[in-house]
Amino acid sequence: MAKLFRAAIMGPPGSGKGTISKRIAHSFGLLYLSSGHFLRESITAKTEAGVLVKSFVERSMLVPDHVMTRLMLPRLEELSGNSWLLDGFPRTLSQARALNNLCQLDLVISLNIPYETLRERLSDRWIHPGSGRVYNMGFNPPRVQGKDDITGEPLIQHDDDKPDALMSRLRHYKDVAKPVIDLYKSQGILHSFSGTETDRIWPYINSLLSTKMHTQPPDTCQPQMP
Ligand code: G5P
Ligand code: MG
């Protein structure tokens, strides 16, 4: 039986979830599922869910739990034979419980990054709206300023990366994440990483995953009683 591995990465806005997730997906062959990307995709496609979530995402507010679980859980059910990594989901205790009913995670990574670092990073962040590709003018700039490397289309800055919106996102993140972190701690699957540079955190995450993925017992996606 194939060894399946299910992980999630948590952290405040700008903590490097996306950057680290892409490295994990690339190095360990996990499917990478980003809740923010799915939301932006549904907004661009103007689906029923997209119309509903647009105002929440634009105001940097959490999308209601029932909408989030309806967006994420069916995708995970379809991927029941795959190993995957979730970025940005679950974000509330209610989402974590809904996920637990579908599947037990093997590992959760939590990123603790100082506020000042987050503020600096996000004010420098530019996105290619069509694909969700993220650039940072200092850390990973595009080859041509203001243009996407692949398509050459213009890059934009999200309204929710501007300072006022960012402050309220961070405050809210802390309150909402605490019970989720406590839950995963109690399950013995939480691994926290602190620091100001992704490149310095990455070797520790890389080594943790190398160990965990090689010692993972054969498994299938089993529900866990809440
Ligand atoms: P998202 O899209 O999940 P956030 O706000 O949680 O958005 P975000 O902004 O995507 O998180 P990140 O993925 O943690 O940040 O970080 P990143 O993009 O990798 O890195 C941030 C920037 O810093 C990038 O430019 C990167 O290049 C740079 N960087 C990384 N490392 C370093 C470094 O070491 N040094 C430097 N200098 N730079 C670095 O969610 C968006 C919205 O969707 C809704 C909410 O409304 C949310 O606001 N949403 C949900 N709502 C309810 N429930 C959920 N589960 C939801 N999920 C999303
Ligand atoms: Mg992200």
Side-chain angles (χ1 to χ4, degrees), residues 23-30 202 205-207 209-210 213-214:
R23 292 186 190 185
I24 294 175
H26 180 256
S27 302
F28 297 95
L30 300 181
W202 168 243
I205 294 180
N206 191 10
S207 125
L209 280 161
S210 301
M213 289 188 68
H214 289 123

Side-chain angles (χ1 to χ4, degrees), residues 20-167:
I20 289 173
S21 294
K22 280 172 204 142
R23 292 186 190 185
I24 294 175
H26 180 256
S27 302
F28 297 95
L30 300 181
L31 290 178
Y32 163 46
L33 308 164
S34 154
S35 58
H37 180 72
F38 289 144
L39 287 168
R40 286 187 282 276
E41 203 177 56
S42 68
I43 292 171
T44 308
K46 297 193 169 76
T47 61
E48 198 183 327
V51 173
L52 188 65
V53 302
K54 190 169 189 279
S55 64
F56 291 96
V57 174
E58 280 174 353
R59 286 177 291 152
S60 311
M61 288 169 65
L62 287 184
V63 171
D65 288 330
H66 69 279
V67 179
M68 262 344 277
T69 49
R70 219 185 306 139
L71 185 78
M72 298 302 292
L73 297 187
R75 290 174 198 250
L76 297 180
E77 276 179 293
E78 280 170 20
L79 296 171
S80 64
N82 294 80
S83 294
W84 40 248
L85 169 70
L86 294 172
D87 163 7
F89 180 88
R91 206 172 286 222
T92 66
L93 188 57
S94 158
Q95 293 176 18
R97 286 184 174 144
L99 177 63
N100 253 354
N101 288 338
L102 178 73
C103 187
Q104 167 70 60
L105 292 175
D106 298 301
L107 181 128
V108 176
I109 293 166
S110 169
L111 302 174
N112 300 319
I113 313 296
Y115 171 73
E116 193 49 33
T117 307
L118 300 176
R119 197 187 56 74
E120 278 170 20
R121 276 185 198 175
L122 291 182
S123 57
D124 255 3
R125 186 167 77 149
W126 291 79
I127 312 273
H128 174 240
S131 65
R133 272 185 287 280
V134 176
Y135 298 89
N136 181 282
M137 291 312 157
F139 182 67
N140 64 330
R143 283 196 283 271
V144 177
Q145 200 181 350
K147 306 272 189 209
D148 178 48
D149 284 353
I150 311 288
T151 63
E153 289 167 353
L155 302 176
I156 58 147
Q157 200 167 28
H158 281 311
D159 284 346
D160 56 8
D161 284 345
K162 303 197 172 135
D164 284 355
L166 181 59
M167 215 28 220

Side-chain angles (χ1 to χ4, degrees), residues 9-20:
I9 185 161
M10 299 179 59
S15 56
K17 300 184 294 297
T19 306
I20 289 173

